[in-house]
């Protein structure tokens, strides 16, 4: 590496493209990244060797694991998650994680190696057109074939990934560009791209219209999603809810933006959400959607969704406005800014009678569903709900809960009492089984002083079980709660309810998970009896280092409430 001063006194340094890339990452504040080496990315790994004191590379056991770890890291830290992979199969293994990050608006930069430029299109060893393949699942992607173009591409990638509605970006760099030497000026971060407007200017007219509807509403309802967390609107959102006195319900991505115990937090929306907010969505007079996109799992049959209500939609992405649900008053902009402006215009209010209606309906759910789920009879098998109840009580709702996808996901989100901001990490839009273990590892690297619990089913666990190797190598302290019902539980439930109990390919013939944990040097325990559950959870949570707690739960327990596919939110079933 050679440094010279030009006539204009600008410092230029001669280095390889790979070294320049690593320097760019350092300048972007990257201290931890996840990846898996290979031939086409090897020059970058060689450059990382020289910067081990500044950047810690975590080698996952599969490239998909790297993407999910980067997601977990980003979701908890608020920074851009970064991962590396080689060309060909290494790059294609990133696709699921990219799609997951795209649907859940997670800022991530994936850097892939590519065959040398002159070999592109020749079907060279481990060549794939990853730019074309990843186009549908990235916010932006680019291929770089010259060393001198690397800094500008990286700067643009980080800016696009984290600005506006966040998302994943892929930068594909040919191997010859990584080797190539070039002169580089001091790295400049990017803060503007022509024609790209990540933060729309707030409309004063829209804010006035929204405030007028809110102030005159008799039965208003707030639906809050991931946008509240992404915009860091913790104080603004809670102040808005409390000043207006409006009941607020959450999507699975909005969970932990408001403490579960808050008196105006009326529960979970959607297919397995709480009874009251689903029913009363079709009774409210004003619906205020904050940083959520009216996903089909929230709306049910959209043709029968909130037709009686005036809809206010606070959203940063113009493409989401009127996409699924027509908004009477769209408020384009960053949620934090929109809520700050609305807070000044909104009247202080209370909606006691309306809130009582939520309490009345939730009491019905408590009687018909929750009581039995959290406190099964002595002769009944253990339920997922009672396990989560003990976890929540003993941890006092202070842990970061990282869920996989399935019945355990719904149960954890319904029954864990989230006390802290940014405590829920899950795969929402894509519903990726295998997400939780690597995402929990990433979350723990982002927040080493917080307890991180991965809640996983026996199906999803085996999709990324190899990431136990990361725990073995790094000694990262992740608690793994394995809720084992020996089924693909959610699929079995649907076959039970809608396919006449024709259980097709859902039985899980599982290995000895304790033996597997032992092989990775992880302490473990298996609970099969209720009277040993609470003591086991105490040991699980207090253990120094990672721990696998496997709990055998009821094989054919179903998750209720439930909105069947194609049904209205008003047709939510309690049994």
């Amino acid at each position: 590496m050679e440094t010279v001063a030009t006539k204009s006194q600008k410092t230029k340094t001669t280095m390889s493209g790979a070294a320049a890339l690593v320097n760019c990452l350092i300048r972007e504040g990257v201290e931890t990244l996840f990846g898996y080496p290979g031939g086409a990315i090897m020059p970058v790994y060689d450059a990382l060797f020289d910067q081990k004191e500044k950047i810690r590379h975590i080698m996952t056991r599969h490239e998909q694991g790297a993407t999910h770890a980067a997601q977990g890291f980003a979701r908890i830290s608020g920074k851009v998650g970064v991962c590396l992979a080689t060309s060909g199969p290494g790059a294609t293994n990133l696709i699921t994680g990219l799609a997951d990050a795209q649907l859940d608006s997670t800022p991530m930069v994936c850097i892939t190696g590519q065959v040398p430029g002159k070999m592109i299109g020749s079907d060279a060893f481990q060549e794939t057109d990853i730019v074309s393949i990843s186009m549908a699942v990235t916010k932006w992607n680019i291929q770089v074939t010259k060393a001198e173009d690397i800094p500008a591409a990286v700067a643009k990638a980080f800016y696009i990934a984290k600005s506006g509605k966040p998302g994943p970006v892929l930068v594909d760099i040919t191997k010859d560009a990584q080797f190539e030497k070039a002169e580089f000026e001091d790295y400049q971060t990017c803060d503007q791209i022509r024609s790209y407007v990540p933060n729309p200017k707030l409309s004063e007219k829209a804010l006035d219209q929204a405030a007028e509807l809110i102030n005159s509403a008799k039965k208003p309802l707030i639906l809050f999603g991931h946008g509240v967390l992404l915009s860091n609107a913790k104080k603004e959102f809670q102040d808005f809810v409390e000043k207006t006195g409006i009941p607020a319900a959450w999507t699975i991505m909005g969970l932990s933006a408001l403490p579960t115990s808050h008196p105006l937090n009326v529960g979970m929306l959607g297919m397995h959400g709480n009874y009251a907010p689903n029913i009363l969505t079709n009774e409210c007079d004003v619906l205020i959607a904050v940083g959520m996109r009216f996903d089909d799992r929230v709306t049910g049959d959209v043709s029968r969704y909130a037709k009686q209500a005036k809809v206010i939609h606070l959203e940063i992405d113009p493409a989401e406005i009127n996409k699924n649900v027509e908004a009477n008053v769209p408020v384009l902009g960053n949620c934090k800014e929109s809520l700050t402006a609305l807070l000044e215009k909104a009247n202080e209010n209370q909606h006691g009678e309306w809130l009582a209606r939520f309490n009345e309906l939730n009491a019905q759910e408590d009687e018909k569903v929750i009581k039995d789920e959290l406190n099964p009879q002595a002769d009944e098998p253990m339920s997922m709900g009672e396990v989560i109840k003990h976890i929540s009580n003993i941890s006092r709702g202070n842990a970061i809960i990282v869920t996989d996808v399935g019945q355990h996901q719904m149960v954890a989100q319904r029954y864990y009492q989230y006390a802290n901001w940014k405590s829920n990490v899950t795969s929402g839009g894509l519903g990726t089984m295998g997400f939780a273990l690597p995402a929990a590892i990433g979350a723990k690297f982002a927040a080493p002083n917080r307890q991180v619990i991965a809640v996983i089913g026996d199906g999803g666990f085996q999709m990324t079980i190899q990431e136990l190797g990361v725990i073995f190598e790094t000694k990262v302290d992740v608690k793994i709660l394995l809720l084992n019902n020996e089924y693909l539980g959610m699929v079995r439930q649907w076959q039970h309810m809608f396919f006449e109990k024709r259980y097709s390919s859902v039985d899980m013939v599982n290995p000895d998970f304790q033996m597997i944990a032992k092989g990775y040097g992880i302490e473990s325990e298996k609970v099969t009896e209720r009277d040993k559950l609470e003591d086991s959870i105490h040991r699980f949570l207090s253990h120094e280092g990672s721990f696998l707690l496997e709990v055998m739960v009821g094989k054919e327990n179903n998750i209720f409430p439930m909105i069947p596919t194609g049904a209205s939110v008003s047709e939510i079933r309690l049994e």
Side-chain angles (χ1 to χ4, degrees):
M1 189 180 295
E2 181 182 348
T3 302
V4 297
T6 66
K7 291 181 180 179
S8 62
Q9 297 303 308
K10 285 187 177 180
T11 301
K12 287 190 175 184
T13 304
T14 300
M15 66 180 84
S16 69
L21 171 64
V22 174
N23 181 61
C24 294
L25 296 177
I26 292 170
R27 294 295 297 274
E28 287 287 352
V30 177
E31 297 177 343
T32 303
L33 53 78
F34 307 87
Y36 202 95
I41 197 70
M42 207 173 295
V44 172
Y45 275 84
D46 185 65
L48 279 171
F49 187 85
D50 294 326
Q51 300 289 355
K52 288 186 291 186
E53 300 303 315
K54 294 183 179 179
I55 295 185
R56 183 177 186 183
H57 176 271
I58 308 300
M59 192 186 82
T60 56
R61 274 29 180 188
H62 190 282
E63 292 88 354
Q64 181 182 339
T67 61
H68 296 326
Q71 286 177 274
F73 183 90
R75 296 267 289 277
I76 293 302
S77 69
K79 300 177 181 179
V80 177
V82 182
C83 60
L84 300 177
T86 192
S87 63
T92 57
N93 281 343
L94 302 177
I95 295 299
T96 295
L98 287 167
D100 197 289
Q102 177 82 330
L103 280 168
D104 286 346
S105 303
T106 303
M108 183 166 69
V109 171
C110 293
I111 298 165
T112 53
Q114 183 55 276
V115 300
K118 65 182 180 181
M119 298 177 69
I120 291 176
S122 69
D123 292 334
F125 177 66
Q126 291 193 333
E127 180 194 358
T128 57
D129 183 359
I130 194 61
V131 172
S132 295
I133 292 170
S134 65
M135 190 172 293
V137 292
T138 52
K139 188 177 176 184
W140 181 70
N141 64 13
I142 189 172
Q143 185 174 85
V144 181
T145 59
K146 295 180 180 179
E148 64 188 35
D149 294 334
I150 290 174
V154 171
K156 190 174 180 180
F158 272 82
Y159 176 60
I160 291 173
K162 65 187 177 184
S163 61
K165 182 180 180 179
V169 170
L170 182 134
V171 180
D172 189 46
I173 307 176
T174 60
K175 192 171 184 178
D176 51 338
Q178 297 171 47
F179 275 125
E180 183 185 3
K181 299 272 188 171
E183 287 188 344
F184 297 95
E185 293 182 359
D186 287 343
Y187 180 73
Q188 298 294 319
T189 58
C190 179
D191 60 8
Q192 184 178 358
I193 298 171
R194 188 176 64 182
S195 78
Y196 173 55
V197 185
N199 291 299
K201 185 179 179 181
L202 285 175
S203 164
E204 198 67 27
K205 180 181 178 181
L207 290 167
D208 287 340
Q209 291 174 335
E212 183 179 355
L213 283 176
I214 291 167
N215 291 335
S216 62
K218 303 301 181 185
K219 297 190 291 183
L221 175 60
I222 293 171
L223 315 181
F224 62 95
H226 198 195
V228 177
L229 293 155
L230 289 170
S231 63
N232 289 310
K234 177 181 180 180
K235 183 178 187 303
E236 293 79 4
F237 180 66
Q238 187 160 333
D239 286 351
F240 177 73
V241 170
E242 291 174 350
K243 182 179 181 180
T244 60
I246 299 175
W250 41 268
T251 70
I252 65 170
M253 297 301 295
L255 178 56
S256 79
L258 191 69
T260 304
S261 61
H262 194 286
L264 290 170
N265 187 332
V266 293
M268 175 179 170
L269 297 162
M271 181 170 283
H272 291 287
N274 292 108
Y275 191 57
N278 278 299
I279 290 286
L280 297 180
T281 292
N282 277 1
E283 294 184 21
C284 68
D285 59 0
V286 175
L287 194 66
I288 305 131
V290 184
M292 55 86 73
R293 57 186 178 86
F294 292 109
D295 176 82
D296 63 287
R297 288 298 173 103
V298 167
T299 65
D301 179 3
V302 74
S303 70
R304 294 182 284 163
Y305 182 80
K307 292 301 180 182
Q308 80 295 336
K310 298 291 185 183
V311 177
I312 301 168
H313 194 177
L314 277 62
E315 172 61 49
I316 198 168
D317 184 3
E320 295 295 345
I321 299 294
N322 298 329
K323 185 176 80 173
N324 297 324
V325 172
E326 187 172 347
N328 299 92
V329 182
V331 181
L332 271 175
N334 179 288
C335 278
K336 188 182 183 77
E337 297 172 5
S338 301
L339 288 165
T340 299
L342 271 179
L343 193 60
E344 294 180 2
K345 298 174 182 290
N347 295 336
E348 192 165 337
N349 209 339
Q350 292 183 350
H351 298 279
E353 289 185 12
W354 175 234
L355 185 60
R357 178 81 171 119
F358 286 87
N359 296 334
E360 173 190 330
L361 291 176
N362 278 336
Q364 294 180 34
E365 179 184 349
D366 187 67
E367 181 64 28
K368 292 186 177 181
V369 176
I370 297 175
K371 185 171 67 174
D372 290 338
E373 176 65 29
L374 299 187
N375 301 287
Q377 297 297 314
D379 59 347
E380 294 177 342
M382 285 183 286
S383 72
M384 293 184 182
E386 70 177 308
V387 179
I388 295 299
K389 178 187 72 173
H390 286 304
I391 293 281
S392 183
N393 290 342
I394 295 169
S395 68
R396 298 181 180 179
N398 289 320
I400 294 170
I401 303 297
V402 185
T403 51
D404 214 79
V405 172
Q407 290 182 317
H408 63 276
Q409 176 190 32
M410 298 295 102
V411 169
Q413 293 182 329
R414 283 173 54 82
Y415 298 122
Y416 191 83
Q417 299 297 299
Y418 293 82
N420 296 316
W421 173 259
K422 282 190 179 179
S423 296
N424 166 57
V425 179
T426 196
S427 172
L430 196 64
T432 304
M433 290 178 66
F435 173 86
L437 179 57
I441 290 169
K444 186 63 177 182
F445 277 111
N449 295 322
R450 294 184 67 183
Q451 187 165 68
V452 176
I453 304 172
V455 181
I456 311 179
D458 47 313
F461 187 39
Q462 294 178 78
M463 287 193 170
T464 52
I465 198 169
Q466 70 277 358
E467 301 308 335
L468 292 174
V470 179
I471 296 174
F472 180 57
E473 178 184 352
T474 65
K475 310 305 178 189
V476 62
D477 181 1
V478 173
K479 303 297 191 285
I480 304 164
L481 175 64
L482 174 57
L483 296 175
N484 187 351
N485 58 9
E486 297 180 299
Y487 270 121
L488 296 177
M490 190 63 84
V491 182
R492 182 212 56 76
Q493 177 170 338
W494 280 57
Q495 291 178 345
H496 178 144
M497 296 178 67
F498 309 117
F499 292 87
E500 300 176 336
K501 291 189 179 182
R502 290 161 59 87
Y503 291 170
S504 177
S505 301
V506 289
D507 294 271
M508 294 296 295
V509 180
N510 290 318
D512 185 329
F513 292 115
Q514 273 63 55
M515 290 290 287
I516 291 172
K518 183 178 180 181
Y520 284 104
I522 298 170
E523 293 290 327
S524 69
E525 189 171 337
K526 183 175 182 177
V527 182
T528 59
E529 299 173 14
R530 178 173 283 115
D531 59 2
K532 297 180 180 178
L533 177 61
E534 192 168 355
D535 287 344
S536 296
I537 290 174
H538 275 288
R539 287 191 292 273
F540 169 65
L541 295 176
S542 63
H543 181 77
E544 290 188 13
S546 288
F547 195 103
L548 169 67
L549 179 64
E550 178 184 6
V551 183
M552 303 304 296
V553 295
K555 291 192 65 171
E556 296 193 55
N557 291 0
N558 290 334
I559 307 302
F560 287 102
M562 183 178 183
I563 303 170
T565 299
S568 161
V569 291
S570 299
E571 296 169 329
I572 185 169
R573 293 171 53 177
L574 288 174
E575 54 189 8

